[in-house]
Amino acid sequence: MAAPSPTDRSRRKLLGRLSLPESRYIADALRTETVGGVLLLVAAIAALLWANIPALSASYDTVRSFHIGPASLGLDLSLQHWAADGLLAIFFFVAGIELKRELVAGDLRDPKAAALPVIAALCGMAVPAVVYAVVNTVGGGSLDGWAVPTATDIAFALAVLAVIGTSLPSALRAFLLTLAVVDDLFAILIIAVFFTSEIDFLALGGALVGLVLFWFMLRRGARGWYVYVPLALVIWGLMYNSGVHATVAGVAMGLMLRCTRAEGEDSSPGEHIEHLVRPISAGLAVPLFALLSAGVSLSDEAIAQVFTRPETLGVVLGLVVGKTVGIFGGTWLAARFTRAELNEDLAWPDVLAVASLAGIGFTVSLLIGELAFAGDAVLTDEIKAAVLFGSFIAAVIACVMLKLRDRRYRALIQAEERDDDLDGIPDVYEEDNPEFHLRMARIYEERAAEHRRKADEAAAAALQSPAGSTTEADRPA
C-alpha cells in the first residue's frame, strides 16, 4: 500500500516532532510506565511459575481465592476479585487523568491532531473484534469474547521495549501512549455497556451523588487526601454494588480533575496527582493484578487448545493480526483523508512496528476475559492463556521490526536530545531562535580561536625541536 504522496510544504506532518513541554511530559510518564512494565513482566512470569509448578499450584489457587472484606457492605471478595475491581480502579483513575490532560492540554485538544490516535484506536479495536467474530462464526465458537483482543497494554509494551533496549523517537512514543489512553477509554466503555447485567439503581444513584460531591469539592478548591480518599472509596464501593464495573468510578474521578495550569502553577492539580498516583498504579496495582490473574495452566493440552479452539484462536489472531492491521490501516487512512504527510524522519514500517507492538494486550484483556466467561472457569483460563500467547507473538514480531530500525532510532534520539549550547533546551527546539544561532556562533568562534592557539603552539614547538626529531620524523610509518 503506497503512502500518501506529498503535494505541498504546508501540509500537516503525521507523527511530527512534539512540543518541548509535551516531549518532557511524555518522557516522564513513560519512564514510570517502563519501570512498572518490567515489574508487570516479572509478576506475570512469577504467576505462571507459581501456577505450573506442581508443588506450588495448589497454594496459588488458595491464595487468590482467599476472601476478605466486610460482607455487610457486599464486599466480601476474593483477592483475585479485589485485584480486578479494586486495584485496576487505580489504573483506570490514572488513565482518566491522562485522557483529560490530552483533551485539554495535550495533542488531543487539536481536533486535527486528535483524529489520528482516535481513528487508529477505533480501527485497532474494531478489526480485532471482527477477526474474533469471523473465527468463531466459522468455527462455531462463542462470540462472548469479542472484546478480549481489543485492548492494548502500554505498560507491557514498554516493558518489552525496556528489555530489548530499543529507544523509540518521541513522536512514536507519544503515538503509542496516546493510542493506549484512547484505547483505555473505549475499553472502559465496553466494560460498562456490555458487561453490566443487573443494576442496583439505589447504589448507582448513591455513586452518582458521590461523584457530584467529588466534582463540587474539586471546583471549590478543597485540599487534603483525607477528604478525597475516603470519598473515593465510598464512590467505588457504591459503584461496585450497583452492578456497574467498579473501574468506571476510577476513570470518572480521573476525568473530573483539572488538568490546565492556572497562572503561577508549575503543574495542574491533575498532573500533580497523576505524578503521585502513577507509581502506585504502575509499580503496585497492575503487577499485583497480573500476579493474581495471569497464573494459568500451560500443560500440553492447554497449549494445544489455544491454537485449536475457536474462542482462543480468535483472541490470538485478534491480537497479532487484528491489532496490527487495524492500527496501521487506521493510521494510513487518517493520513490519506486528512492529507497529512508522514514525518520525513520516519517510514511506514515504523508505524507497522508500533501497530504490532500495540498487539500486546494484557491487563485489560485479562480483565475482559474474566468478565466475558465468568461462568466457565476452564474457558476463562484458556482465554487467559490465549492472551499470553497472542501478546508474546505480537511482542516478538514487533521486536524484530524495531531491531531492524534500531540504528535509525538511536540517531533520531541523539538528535532530539543534543544540546550543544548547554542551555537545557535541545537544539532542535531552537532552530527558529536567533539568539540560539548567535550563541552557537560564539561557541564555534571560541573553539576556532582555541584550535588556532594550539596550532601556533605546536608550530613553535616544532621549530624549537632539535634537528632530526621533528614531528614528521617522530611519526610512526
Side-chain angles (χ1 to χ4, degrees), residues 343-376:
N343 182 356
E344 60 272 9
D345 292 329
L346 302 174
W348 284 101
D350 299 320
V351 181
L352 185 64
V354 173
S356 179
L357 191 64
I360 301 174
F362 188 76
T363 306
V364 182
S365 290
L366 291 178
L367 173 61
I368 294 177
E370 291 179 356
L371 296 173
F373 299 102
D376 190 335

Side-chain angles (χ1 to χ4, degrees), residues 282-313:
L284 181 65
V286 176
L288 279 178
F289 168 77
L291 182 65
L292 294 170
S293 296
V296 295
S297 173
L298 295 180
S299 62
D300 293 341
E301 182 181 355
I303 294 173
Q305 287 281 63
V306 168
F307 298 99
T308 57
R309 186 162 183 163
E311 292 90 348
T312 51
L313 182 60

Side-chain angles (χ1 to χ4, degrees), residues 169-440:
S170 59
L172 288 178
R173 285 181 288 166
F175 176 59
L176 182 61
L177 180 61
T178 307
L179 187 73
V181 169
V182 177
D183 190 292
D184 287 340
L185 171 66
F186 288 114
I188 200 69
L189 290 176
I190 288 173
I191 291 171
V193 174
F194 294 99
F195 296 102
T196 299
S197 54
E198 298 180 0
I199 296 180
D200 182 334
F201 288 100
L202 182 61
L204 181 60
L208 293 177
V209 170
L211 287 171
V212 170
L213 180 59
F214 188 87
W215 176 86
F216 178 76
M217 289 196 303
L218 287 172
R219 293 300 173 272
R220 296 291 295 178
R223 296 178 177 273
W225 64 268
Y226 47 83
V227 175
Y228 291 103
V229 171
L231 178 58
L233 291 174
V234 171
I235 294 171
W236 176 88
L238 289 169
M239 189 68 74
Y240 174 81
N241 281 289
S242 73
V244 177
H245 201 271
T247 51
V248 174
V251 76
M253 286 184 280
L255 287 169
M256 289 181 181
L257 294 175
R258 176 169 65 82
C259 292
T260 53
R261 299 180 184 181
E263 186 176 352
E265 285 185 337
D266 293 329
S267 62
S268 66
E271 290 172 323
H272 177 67
I273 293 173
E274 180 190 8
H275 181 74
L276 295 175
V277 179
R278 184 188 288 277
I280 299 174
S281 170
L284 181 65
V286 176
L288 279 178
F289 168 77
L291 182 65
L292 294 170
S293 296
V296 295
S297 173
L298 295 180
S299 62
D300 293 341
E301 182 181 355
I303 294 173
Q305 287 281 63
V306 168
F307 298 99
T308 57
R309 186 162 183 163
E311 292 90 348
T312 51
L313 182 60
V315 170
V316 173
L317 292 178
L319 289 172
V320 177
V321 179
K323 271 289 185 182
T324 303
V325 172
I327 292 174
F328 181 82
T331 305
W332 188 89
L333 289 173
R336 177 75 175 179
F337 291 104
T338 61
R339 300 182 63 78
E341 291 179 357
L342 185 66
N343 182 356
E344 60 272 9
D345 292 329
L346 302 174
W348 284 101
D350 299 320
V351 181
L352 185 64
V354 173
S356 179
L357 191 64
I360 301 174
F362 188 76
T363 306
V364 182
S365 290
L366 291 178
L367 173 61
I368 294 177
E370 291 179 356
L371 296 173
F373 299 102
D376 190 335
V378 174
L379 184 53
T380 298
D381 280 350
E382 291 174 353
I383 289 292
K384 288 182 179 181
V387 170
L388 294 176
F389 275 100
S391 298
F392 176 74
I393 295 170
V396 170
I397 294 173
C399 287
V400 171
M401 289 191 287
L402 290 170
K403 273 298 184 183
L404 293 175
R405 294 275 290 171
D406 189 55
R407 182 177 298 179
R408 176 60 176 163
Y409 294 152
R410 291 185 184 279
L412 291 175
I413 288 291
Q414 289 174 358
E416 289 178 358
E417 296 177 350
R418 186 173 180 177
D419 183 19
D420 284 343
D421 60 343
L422 303 177
D423 66 343
I425 301 174
D427 296 341
V428 293
Y429 293 99
E430 298 190 281
E431 290 295 331
D432 297 327
N433 183 2
E435 294 182 1
F436 162 73
H437 294 288
L438 292 174
R439 284 197 302 272
M440 291 304 301

